[in-house]
């Protein structure tokens, strides 16, 4: 593609592919088919930055453990291909705009959104938001939520400590990694997930570049 050609030409195709650990020609096309075009482009972009001596920011793929019903029922989208396509659309949600786009598409094509599908949408949105905060794992259980942060979480310490004081039942937990635990007795997993969403929204105000 033109995009791949341009970025490869910026530092030399051989050097970029060497950093990726792959060859050129048919081998290159086979690798692209294996990992997918979008991921392949990201790998190329990262290799170009590394070849130029630029810092490559590691993308966080937050692990979500949420004990709620989150799936697309056959009654809602009868065709398997339609369900698979929509699962992919939901997994690609990165912000509130893409979240609303998928919501609108679901309503337009299939009608009112069932609770289990709305849960999927919410999980996708908050997975993206958690990644922005440097959260490695987002775990919800009855009566408890736990956020485990990476070492490079882009949070302002003073803002974070002030914000945690406003979240009912929140406290930092000791361990190798920074973890924030929120406890609330007699709450179900679904209720704790709603509490976790509010907490994430609060934490977004604690990023280093937040106003």
């Amino acid at each position: 593609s033109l995009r791949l050609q341009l970025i490869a030409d910026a530092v030399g195709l051989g050097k970029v592919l060497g950093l990726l650990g792959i060859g050129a020609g048919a081998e290159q096309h086979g690798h692209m088919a294996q990992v997918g075009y979008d991921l392949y482009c990201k790998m190329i972009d990262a290799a170009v930055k590394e070849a130029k001596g630029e810092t490559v920011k590691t993308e966080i793929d937050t692990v979500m453990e949420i004990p709620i019903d989150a799936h697309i029922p056959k009654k809602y989208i009868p065709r398997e291909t339609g369900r698979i396509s929509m699962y992919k659309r939901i997994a690609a949600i990165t912000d509130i705009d893409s979240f609303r786009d998928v919501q609108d598409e679901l309503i337009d094509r299939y009608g009112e959104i069932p609770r289990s599908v709305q849960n999927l949408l919410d999980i996708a949105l908050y997975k993206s938001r958690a990644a922005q905060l440097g959260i490695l794992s987002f775990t919800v259980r009855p009566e408890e939520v736990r956020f485990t942060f990476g070492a490079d979480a882009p949070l302002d310490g003073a803002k974070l400590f002030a914000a945690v004081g406003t979240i009912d039942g929140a406290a930092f937990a000791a361990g190798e990694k920074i973890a924030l635990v929120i406890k609330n007795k007699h709450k179900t997993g679904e209720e704790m997930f709603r509490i976790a969403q509010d907490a994430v929204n609060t934490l977004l105000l604690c990023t280093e570049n937040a106003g």
Side-chain angles (χ1 to χ4, degrees):
S1 76
L2 178 60
R3 181 187 175 199
L4 286 175
Q5 187 62 52
L6 288 173
I7 61 177
D9 286 348
V11 296
L13 179 61
K15 189 172 183 180
V16 171
L17 296 179
L19 285 165
L20 289 172
I22 59 178
E27 187 179 355
Q28 176 190 358
H29 290 292
H31 191 82
M32 187 189 298
Q34 182 179 8
V35 304
Y37 178 77
D38 289 340
L39 177 56
Y40 188 81
C41 286
K42 289 180 181 179
M43 291 168 66
I44 288 285
D45 287 338
V48 168
K49 289 180 180 179
E50 185 177 340
K52 289 182 174 181
E54 298 177 12
T55 301
V56 179
K57 185 178 179 181
T58 303
E59 290 191 13
I60 292 175
D61 184 16
T62 305
V63 176
M64 303 289 283
E65 296 183 33
I66 317 292
I68 60 176
D69 183 14
H71 76 287
I72 302 174
K74 289 182 180 180
K75 287 184 179 179
Y76 188 57
I77 303 181
R79 291 173 61 89
E80 182 178 5
T81 54
R83 291 196 303 278
I84 291 172
S85 175
M86 191 52 64
Y87 275 121
K88 290 180 179 178
R89 291 273 286 117
I90 293 171
I93 288 172
T94 57
D95 54 30
I96 192 64
D97 290 331
S98 54
F99 173 86
R100 288 171 178 161
D101 286 345
V102 176
Q103 270 193 326
D104 291 344
E105 181 181 344
L106 284 166
I107 293 169
D108 289 344
R109 294 178 62 183
Y110 305 109
E112 184 178 353
I113 300 174
R115 179 75 264 172
S116 63
V117 179
Q118 187 61 53
N119 286 341
L120 262 184
L121 292 167
D122 292 343
I123 289 171
L125 176 62
Y126 280 88
K127 176 183 174 73
S128 174
R129 289 183 171 179
Q132 291 175 43
L133 291 167
I135 294 174
L136 303 177
S137 64
F138 182 133
T139 305
V140 174
R141 298 187 181 92
E143 302 188 354
E144 183 179 300
V145 171
R146 178 180 290 264
F147 302 134
T148 302
F149 295 89
D152 297 325
L155 296 168
D156 179 286
K159 291 179 182 177
L160 178 61
F161 278 99
V164 168
T166 70
I167 301 172
D168 188 36
F172 289 104
E176 291 184 8
K177 290 182 170 35
I178 298 172
L180 178 64
V181 178
I182 304 170
K183 295 187 177 183
N184 204 319
K185 290 185 177 180
H186 312 303
K187 296 290 185 181
T188 65
E190 188 156 351
E191 289 171 329
M192 290 306 297
F193 182 41
R194 305 306 160 201
I195 290 170
Q197 292 176 45
D198 290 340
V200 167
N201 293 337
T202 297
L203 295 176
L204 285 169
L205 301 175
C206 303
T207 55
E208 292 170 344
N209 53 6

